[in-house]
Amino acid sequence: MAKYVYNEKNGIGYELQGDYYLLCLRLPEEVEVHIGAWGQHHRRYLKEHRKTAYTRLLTSGKLNSYLNDIDQQAKKLFSQLVSR
């Protein structure tokens, strides 16, 4: 039996582990960005209270950019509140 098998129909590869073929899945590449305090707080909220949304963002490769956007918006709103 071959160690690796690629299915042309669905575009998924399989790897032989013991007697079984397991999926070879990889997460999409994410751009590394610095996530500030507000983004980290939102990540914790998503992980604890919105698990489906967190998993969807993580597996689509959009989590870091989403959290960075949330962080930038929160910083802007915070500075507006402080200036008032």
Side-chain angles (χ1 to χ4, degrees):
M1 291 181 9
K3 178 77 173 163
Y4 296 100
V5 176
Y6 183 76
N7 187 334
E8 296 289 334
K9 290 182 181 178
N10 62 14
I12 298 176
Y14 300 89
E15 180 180 359
L16 184 63
Q17 297 285 329
D19 293 334
Y20 301 98
Y21 281 102
L22 301 177
L23 293 171
C24 294
L25 298 177
R26 290 184 181 88
L27 293 175
E29 294 293 323
E30 278 194 76
V31 177
E32 288 293 323
V33 293
H34 173 71
I35 299 169
W38 300 107
Q40 292 177 16
H41 288 299
H42 192 66
R43 178 193 336 223
R44 189 175 329 119
Y45 166 77
L46 288 173
K47 280 178 105 171
E48 293 176 6
H49 302 287
R50 304 288 305 262
K51 294 177 183 175
T52 305
Y54 175 79
T55 304
R56 181 176 37 83
L57 286 166
L58 180 65
T59 56
S60 68
K62 298 177 182 177
L63 180 63
N64 285 343
S65 60
Y66 171 76
L67 292 174
N68 186 44
D69 185 45
I70 292 292
D71 188 62
Q72 296 302 319
Q73 290 177 31
K75 284 180 185 177
K76 184 178 177 182
L77 289 172
F78 184 74
S79 66
Q80 288 175 354
L81 287 172
V82 169
S83 66
R84 287 183 187 172

